[in-house]
Every structure is written in C-alpha cells, then in structure tokens.
Amino acid sequence: LYVGMVDFSCAFDNLPRAQLFQKLIDAEINGKFLRLIRNMCEGVKSRVQLNGDVSAMFSCNIGVRQGEN
C-alpha cells in the first residue's frame, strides 16, 4: 500500500501568469478567447476585506484570481 499526498492549497496563488498563457497557447487556445483571458488578468487591482476593514487597492501580478466577482 502506497499513499501520496500533494498540498495544492497555495498552487493557484503562486502560478506565474506567463506560464499559464504559454500552456493555453500550447493547447491551441488563441484569438479572442486568449485575449479575453489575458485582459481579465492584466492591469487589475484587488483589495482585501477582513472583519469589516477594507485594505487599500494593490496590484496582483501573480497567481490565478480567486473569489472575484
């Protein structure tokens, strides 16, 4: 009996977007759909809300966006 465990809890937070886009291109995803995905990821600002307090806006240039509207 062998057991293997992988913790992916932070995998999406640390993914370089250039690698994500290259994987999409390698999978022959291109044109308008690729531009749509790129536009959703570039030049976007985020903020964090914790216990009713909201942080200032900050740029997030790495990782896959999660919990967005």
Side-chain angles (χ1 to χ4, degrees):
L1 176 67
Y2 296 95
V3 176
M5 300 180 87
V6 179
D7 182 9
F8 289 112
S9 62
C10 293
F12 291 106
D13 297 333
N14 299 315
L15 178 71
R17 290 185 182 161
Q19 288 182 2
L20 170 65
F21 296 135
Q22 188 57 50
K23 290 287 187 183
L24 292 171
I25 291 167
D26 292 345
E28 299 181 0
I29 295 173
N30 52 37
K32 290 182 181 180
F33 189 60
L34 180 60
R35 281 195 307 274
L36 172 72
I37 295 171
R38 255 187 227 257
N39 290 339
M40 287 177 16
C41 294
E42 293 178 352
V44 178
K45 296 190 180 278
S46 298
R47 62 173 47 172
V48 177
Q49 180 177 350
L50 179 64
N51 296 330
D53 295 326
V54 180
S55 73
M57 299 292 279
F58 60 91
S59 294
C60 186
N61 301 318
I62 192 167
V64 177
R65 298 179 62 192
Q66 303 170 55
E68 299 289 334
N69 290 335

